[in-house]
Amino acid sequence: MKMDISVVTLVFGLLMFGGGSARVVTVPPGPLIRVEGQPVSIRCDVTDYSGPREQDFEWMTAREATGSRLRIISSFDPSYSDPSFSKRVASGDISVVRLQDNEVELKVAEVKATDGGYYWCLTPSTDSTMSGNYDARVQLTVIPNTLRVSPLTPPPAVSEGSDLTLSCNVTRELSHATYLSVTWSVKRGATSEDILTLGPQGDVVTGAKYARRYADGGIRLVPGRNGLFELVITKVTTSDDGVYECNGTEWTHDNRGKWTKIVASTREMGTVAVTPTGQSLSVKASSSSPPLLSPGETLTLLCSVAADNLPALALEVAWLADGRDVVTMDRSGVVIHNASAGGSRAPASLERTDAGEYRLGVRGVSGEDAGAYACRVRAFVDKGGRSSGGGGRWLLAAEKTSGAVAVKVAQTKPSFAVTLEAVLKPQMTAEPTELACHVTNITHLPLEGRLGVTWEHTPLPGAGSDPQTSQPVGSLDGRGNLLPAAMYSDRLRSGEISLTRVQPDTFKLRFLRTQEVDMGQYGCSVAAWSANSQGDAAKTAEHQSAPLAVRWVTARPTLNVVAKRVREASVGGATFEMSCAVATVNLGEAGYSVLVQSQDSLEGSVRTIMTLSPDNVLQHGGATDPTRRDGLVLTKFGPAEFRFRLAGVQLSDRGFYWCDITAWTKQQAGQTWTRATSNESNKVKIDFQENGPSFAVALQSDTTIVYPWETAKMECSLSVSGSSPKTGAHADDLAYEVRWFFTRLRGGETTTQVASVDRFGVVRKDARNSSSDVSVERKDAHAYTLNIHGTQDSDSGEYHCVATPWYLSASTGAWTQAGELTSSRVFLTVRFAVWESLKLPLLYGVGASIGVGLFSLVLGLVCAQCCCRNTTHTPRSRNNLMDLEMD
Ligand SMILES: *[C@@H]1O[C@H](CO)[C@@H](O)[C@H](O)[C@H]1NC(C)=O
Ligand SMILES: *[C@@H]1O[C@H](CO)[C@@H](O)[C@H](O)[C@H]1NC(C)=O
Ligand SMILES: *[C@@H]1O[C@H](CO)[C@@H](O)[C@H](O)[C@H]1NC(C)=O
Ligand SMILES: *[C@@H]1O[C@H](CO)[C@@H](O)[C@H](O)[C@H]1NC(C)=O
Ligand SMILES: *[C@@H]1O[C@H](CO)[C@@H](O)[C@H](O)[C@H]1NC(C)=O
Ligand SMILES: *[C@@H]1O[C@H](CO)[C@@H](O)[C@H](O)[C@H]1NC(C)=O
């Protein structure tokens, strides 16, 4: 090309500066090596000529440089050719093409071996003077076509990520200095793209789209031997699909440095399809454990991964249990346990045992490890060739999950049998009971497993609770803790009932003193406890014994109490004595509490006179007169007899008397009494007729109308009549208890006691609201006077007295109380005091009119006179109170 440019420049220079110089005809330097059957073109130009710008050319050839020349073709004379060439010229096989005014090209479409020789380019002179050369000569060597391009057919399918080797055998027979180049290209549809060209100088030229991949090492050449050229495309992707071709080209290199392609051959190597990883990736899960695992065994599962390009893949392998990640090995081989999913499961291990083999191990499986296990594989391919990081960029090529492997963990429950036997059976109440619960034929009880027991009791029908409802007595849990049931907690705590484990496989229930309520059916239920994976105790099996009946013929305790009169009180003042004898049946040692009760008549209300506790504590009933307590005695007279004595029987003591006795037992010495049974005795009557005197009472007053400050008198007189040992003349055998009552009629009818005198003569004055004073005076043996000194308006009202006579009984010589007597009522009027009403005006004193003063004075005098006339003389000494004889 350089030469062409210089030739043009030269021609241009000649044209501009005109002639005078010598003509130069130029052809390429030879020898030209061309391949038989290939086109040949030889250029020829002329410079430094004069005459017309368009020059004519003629071509001649000869085998030898000195041989006779044959005319081939002329640019201006169609008849120029030698007959030996005229056919080829006519067919166009040989032609001359004008390139410029001063340049033509001789073209041979298919050069023949016989065309080898010397070629002359001639220019007829157009110069005014002959100067320079008018022709030029070049040698053409025609060699046979020995170029062979034979590619090796690549595999039609390559997996993604693997390498593709494109081998092509390009050879030629070396006779002359020729060179080879190889070009690999790929065709997709209509477009073909060069991948890489090697040669002809050993240089490498990459296709535009492959430059980066080649630079990164993703495409590399393998040095060939014997003409074999190999191109390796690494880590193919689906974009590398296509029809691959191989082109071999033979070149010559002329001595002016110009490379000329002399023959080329392109061969199709074959169609290559890249199989995506997902298509070839297969994941299979299999189990090498028995189909049914026992708890505690090891589960081993194998995940087999296969892919066409397995070595080229980076795998992330995860085991899923029921869809939850258990453990994962990431693509760098790090094992990650999923705490959130596997928290309750046994620890899992995951290791790679071989290429594409991943083993999951779960040691010490429990029921919770059962499930559907699957292996999930994520395949990554290194995009290395197209990344600058060099292997750092991973592309998820495919993800596949295996079919599920069912993992079953047998629920091997511990098995055992429970039998219940009575070691001790009570024959009657309060005898001990001992039941033994035996656990036999124990299998599958884990080493750390424990047994616990629950005792149950089903009371007899009608024993106070719902029949057929079993109640727990208590349990011993797997750790041996005693858990009492609410109903039995007191008795279990006190040790009266014990619940123990006497041997690893025997539990006992003991009653120290079996009660009637304890009768019924007993059952023991034994549970096996094991620690689950979280360490908590879990009940794994439970078996119940057959029920065992505990009962005896109950002899209900009966208690009979017989009351007998020991001393009869036939007259007032006599002593009454009663014996209460206790007889029991079906009752062992017992304590008794006694109530002595009475009632006036069989319909009357019941009074409790005295009580005696089983611990011999004596108490008086609330109804007893405190003054008579000395006369009341209740004692234990024998192991089963009590005596009640009532001294000085009065009329009011008449009625029925009996004992109410309760038997008490003790469960254990030192414990509290438990009520066993109780019963009442027959009733014993106190009845006597007192034919003593009969009494009457009357209340009199001389003056029932008094003025303020006067003294009012009320005389309560008693009269005796009927059979009396000693009549009223002698007061020694007669005494009275007298009480006065006042009923205010204004402002509500309230009756209050004013004063009293007891039979011993002791006077008692009751608190009153009035400013007046009272005194009591004994006028004689049968009359008592109440004096109201300095009467007030407030003393107006009704008065009456109540008397209780006491007399010395002729038959017994004892003081006897007669019935209470109530007098009729006397109304006392205290007149309105005029003087009092006048005090106030007087105080206003001096300024009052004389008339009024006189009137007042007169009135005052009149009034004073009136008052004085009705007043009895001086009040009695308050100390002059009666003094009654004492008994
Ligand atoms: C290449 O082809 C030539 C001739 O066709 C043969 O001699 C040579 O062994 C081949 N090379 C290989 C590597 O097949
Ligand atoms: C063969 O390769 C040469 C050199 O790259 C090129 O010029 C020629 O066109 C190619 N032949 C075919 C058929 O592709
Ligand atoms: C753990 O398991 C849960 C539930 O299967 C899942 O959502 C989570 O992604 C897992 N975590 C890891 C780190 O695998
Ligand atoms: C315990 O096992 C033996 C032998 O297998 C059997 O004869 C016996 O009846 C079993 N005992 C119970 C309580 O099941
Ligand atoms: C109470 O006494 C009566 C008469 O002696 C007797 O029939 C009855 O069975 C006794 N009751 C009890 C509970 O002891
Ligand atoms: C005294 O008077 C007050 C108030 O009027 C009354 O509540 C009280 O019962 C009276 N006392 C007697 C002893 O009458």
Side-chain angles (χ1 to χ4, degrees):
M1 208 54 168
K2 227 173 197 174
M3 181 210 75
D4 292 343
I5 290 167
S6 61
V7 169
V8 171
T9 318
L10 203 60
V11 170
F12 216 70
L14 286 171
L15 289 171
M16 287 188 73
F17 303 108
S21 52
R23 173 185 291 248
V24 178
V25 175
T26 319
V27 290
L32 299 174
I33 297 164
R34 292 297 182 266
V35 174
E36 183 187 355
Q38 298 295 308
V40 171
S41 68
I42 306 168
R43 288 190 183 188
C44 178
D45 63 47
V46 57
T47 53
D48 303 330
Y49 58 89
S50 47
R53 283 169 66 186
E54 193 182 277
Q55 293 289 303
D56 285 322
F57 296 85
E58 290 168 345
W59 288 89
M60 299 180 86
T61 183
R63 286 229 168 259
E64 302 300 329
T66 53
S68 60
R69 302 186 200 176
L70 296 172
R71 295 179 186 192
I72 303 169
I73 196 163
S74 154
S75 66
F76 64 95
D77 180 7
S79 59
Y80 176 75
S81 303
D82 181 84
S84 60
F85 286 106
S86 49
K87 245 189 194 159
R88 291 176 73 183
V89 170
S91 72
D93 181 33
I94 296 174
S95 58
V96 65
V97 177
R98 175 174 295 279
L99 299 176
Q100 286 177 61
D101 286 344
N102 65 332
E103 187 178 16
V104 292
E105 187 179 43
L106 170 70
K107 291 186 106 171
V108 181
E110 281 182 17
V111 73
K112 295 183 197 318
T114 51
D115 292 339
Y118 294 86
Y119 286 77
W120 285 266
C121 176
L122 304 115
T123 52
S125 177
T126 54
D127 308 332
S128 45
T129 52
M130 291 285 276
S131 156
N133 69 313
Y134 285 83
D135 62 9
R137 187 191 73 184
V138 63
Q139 187 189 356
L140 174 70
T141 307
V142 177
I143 58 170
N145 188 354
T146 57
L147 179 68
R148 296 284 176 272
V149 175
S150 50
L152 265 64
T153 309
V158 222
S159 16
E160 188 178 11
S162 61
D163 296 352
L164 171 64
T165 304
L166 300 167
S167 306
C168 199
N169 188 352
V170 180
T171 54
R172 51 95 176 71
E173 278 165 25
L174 190 63
S175 51
H176 291 78
T178 60
Y179 303 84
L180 290 175
S181 77
V182 190
T183 299
W184 288 269
S185 56
V186 63
K187 216 162 60 183
R188 289 186 198 94
T191 60
S192 174
E193 219 176 302
D194 279 1
I195 300 168
L196 184 139
T197 301
L198 170 65
Q201 278 186 284
D203 54 325
V204 171
V205 178
T206 51
K209 289 194 179 166
Y210 294 88
R212 180 68 173 272
R213 212 164 156 187
Y214 177 73
D216 287 341
I219 295 175
R220 62 174 198 273
L221 280 160
V222 179
R225 279 174 287 114
N226 275 347
L228 192 68
F229 296 86
E230 280 187 339
L231 182 74
V232 180
I233 302 176
T234 61
K235 288 159 188 154
V236 292
T237 65
T238 46
S239 63
D240 292 319
D241 279 352
V243 180
Y244 285 84
E245 287 175 333
C246 172
N247 171 336
T249 305
E250 197 172 354
W251 304 75
T252 61
H253 183 225
D254 66 32
N255 47 21
R256 271 189 288 170
K258 187 172 174 255
W259 287 95
T260 307
K261 198 188 303 176
I262 53 173
V263 65
S265 169
T266 297
R267 298 281 302 275
E268 197 175 287
M269 304 179 79
T271 305
V272 175
V274 176
T275 317
T277 302
Q279 226 169 66
S280 70
L281 181 70
S282 80
V283 180
K284 222 182 84 203
S286 58
S287 171
S288 56
S289 302
L292 185 63
L293 288 160
S294 301
E297 286 189 335
T298 299
L299 165 70
T300 310
L301 296 177
L302 206 62
C303 180
S304 311
V305 187
D308 294 345
N309 53 338
L310 192 62
L313 297 174
L315 300 180
E316 180 201 279
V317 179
W319 276 99
L320 315 176
D322 291 330
R324 294 184 307 273
D325 292 31
V326 175
V327 62
T328 306
M329 184 186 281
D330 74 6
R331 49 169 200 264
S332 54
V334 176
V335 176
I336 304 152
H337 291 270
N338 192 341
S340 67
S344 65
R345 288 165 185 272
S349 66
L350 177 56
E351 51 190 339
R352 183 172 176 268
T353 50
D354 201 349
E357 298 278 307
Y358 295 84
R359 192 174 65 195
L360 170 75
V362 181
R363 291 173 66 182
V365 292
S366 67
E368 291 163 58
D369 293 306
Y373 282 73
C375 173
R376 184 194 61 216
V377 172
R378 288 181 177 145
F380 294 86
V381 287
D382 185 359
K383 286 169 60 181
R386 266 158 284 176
S387 93
S388 50
R393 267 172 55 184
W394 293 94
L395 182 76
L396 175 62
E399 171 173 335
K400 268 207 181 143
T401 302
S402 73
V405 174
V407 171
K408 287 179 190 154
V409 179
Q411 300 290 328
T412 46
K413 284 183 180 167
S415 105
F416 50 85
V418 178
T419 51
L420 180 61
E421 67 159 341
V423 179
L424 271 177
K425 258 192 170 179
Q427 299 307 312
M428 60 181 282
T429 309
E431 281 190 349
T433 306
E434 186 173 320
L435 305 179
C437 184
H438 300 286
V439 186
T440 55
N441 293 6
I442 306 171
T443 54
H444 296 301
L445 183 65
L447 228 65
E448 73 280 15
R450 310 266 183 93
L451 295 174
V453 72
T454 300
W455 288 91
E456 284 193 337
H457 172 226
T458 310
L460 291 175
S465 55
D466 292 343
Q468 272 74 53
T469 311
S470 65
Q471 300 153 348
V473 178
S475 336
L476 285 177
D477 71 7
R479 294 194 170 94
N481 301 313
L482 171 65
L483 311 167
M487 276 185 70
Y488 288 86
S489 60
D490 285 347
R491 293 173 77 189
L492 278 163
R493 216 160 277 146
S494 71
E496 207 213 313
I497 300 178
S498 63
L499 210 153
T500 51
R501 177 178 187 162
V502 290
Q503 271 157 39
D505 52 1
T506 301
F507 298 96
K508 277 194 174 170
L509 172 67
R510 264 197 218 97
F511 290 81
L512 275 181
R513 293 164 70 93
T514 318
Q515 304 297 306
E516 266 174 53
V517 292
D518 298 329
M519 286 199 284
Q521 305 273 10
Y522 282 85
C524 65
S525 157
V526 175
W529 297 80
S530 312
N532 64 10
S533 57
Q534 281 121 312
D536 299 331
K539 202 187 271 188
T540 51
E542 187 160 18
H543 293 284
Q544 201 153 11
S545 73
L548 180 73
V550 171
R551 70 179 303 174
W552 60 91
V553 180
T554 47
R556 295 213 137 272
T558 53
L559 179 73
N560 285 305
V561 189
V562 177
K564 270 197 296 216
R565 196 181 284 112
V566 178
R567 285 167 72 180
E568 177 155 16
S570 50
V571 292
T575 298
F576 168 78
E577 192 167 345
M578 178 173 79
S579 148
C580 288
V582 182
T584 60
V585 182
N586 299 323
L587 189 70
E589 202 183 318
Y592 301 100
S593 66
V594 183
L595 261 71
V596 176
Q597 294 181 311
S598 75
Q599 61 189 156
D600 290 343
S601 63
L602 289 173
E603 293 79 35
S605 58
V606 174
R607 294 186 302 269
T608 297
I609 315 280
M610 296 185 92
T611 64
L612 186 67
S613 79
D615 297 318
N616 290 317
V617 176
L618 190 71
Q619 278 188 310
H620 288 276
T624 346
D625 182 351
T627 60
R628 298 191 57 198
R629 288 189 173 169
D630 288 349
L632 290 167
V633 178
L634 175 60
T635 52
K636 186 164 183 179
F637 199 72
E641 190 183 345
F642 296 89
R643 288 271 173 104
F644 169 65
R645 196 161 66 232
L646 169 59
V649 174
Q650 303 298 327
L651 279 176
S652 59
D653 294 331
R654 288 182 299 184
F656 297 94
Y657 289 78
W658 70 93
C659 294
D660 183 331
I661 294 185
T662 304
W664 302 80
T665 54
K666 278 189 176 181
Q667 308 275 331
Q668 263 178 304
Q671 280 191 335
T672 51
W673 291 103
T674 306
R675 185 186 172 280
T677 180
S678 64
N679 215 340
E680 281 185 1
S681 71
N682 53 311
K683 292 176 179 174
V684 174
K685 195 172 181 186
I686 297 180
D687 190 17
F688 59 92
Q689 287 305 314
E690 187 59 67
N691 40 7
S694 56
F695 299 89
V697 70
L699 183 67
Q700 297 133 19
S701 179
D702 294 348
T703 47
T704 55
I705 299 170
V706 292
Y707 289 98
W709 299 109
E710 284 186 342
T711 298
K713 284 171 181 279
M714 311 269 171
E715 187 181 293
C716 191
S717 51
L718 291 128
S719 54
V720 191
S721 63
S723 66
S724 165
K726 299 162 191 171
T727 36
H730 295 93
D732 295 350
D733 52 2
L734 202 55
Y736 300 100
E737 185 188 301
V738 183
R739 288 172 288 157
W740 281 268
F741 292 92
F742 168 60
T743 307
R744 183 197 291 271
L745 294 178
R746 272 184 280 139
E749 241 180 75
T750 53
T751 299
T752 53
Q753 185 167 321
V754 179
S756 64
V757 53
D758 68 9
R759 64 191 174 107
F760 307 109
V762 179
V763 173
R764 202 166 68 88
K765 290 191 277 183
D766 293 274
R768 291 160 69 241
N769 268 349
S770 177
S771 62
S772 60
D773 193 9
V774 296
S775 64
V776 173
E777 189 181 355
R778 183 186 175 200
K779 283 184 78 180
D780 59 43
H782 304 295
Y784 296 83
T785 305
L786 170 72
N787 298 309
I788 304 168
H789 308 281
T791 52
Q792 300 291 320
D793 182 37
S794 58
D795 294 328
S796 295
E798 274 184 355
Y799 290 81
H800 70 273
C801 69
V802 172
T804 311
W806 288 78
Y807 61 94
L808 212 53
S809 172
S811 46
T812 60
W815 281 99
T816 306
Q817 182 188 11
E820 204 175 68
L821 303 158
T822 303
S823 76
S824 57
R825 296 185 175 214
V826 167
F827 194 88
L828 177 72
T829 308
V830 180
R831 285 237 164 112
F832 176 70
V834 181
W835 167 245
E836 289 292 312
S837 67
L838 290 178
K839 265 195 224 164
L840 205 60
L842 278 176
L843 282 172
Y844 286 122
V846 194
S849 73
I850 294 166
V852 172
L854 281 172
F855 179 72
S856 296
L857 194 61
V858 170
L859 214 69
L861 283 170
V862 170
C863 191
Q865 274 184 343
C866 280
C867 292
C868 291
R869 190 181 51 202
N870 284 343
T871 312
T872 47
H873 55 271
T874 53
R876 284 163 190 272
S877 158
R878 287 183 193 176
N879 298 332
N880 186 17
L881 296 176
M882 63 175 189
D883 209 356
L884 294 179
E885 64 197 296
M886 310 278 268
D887 191 8

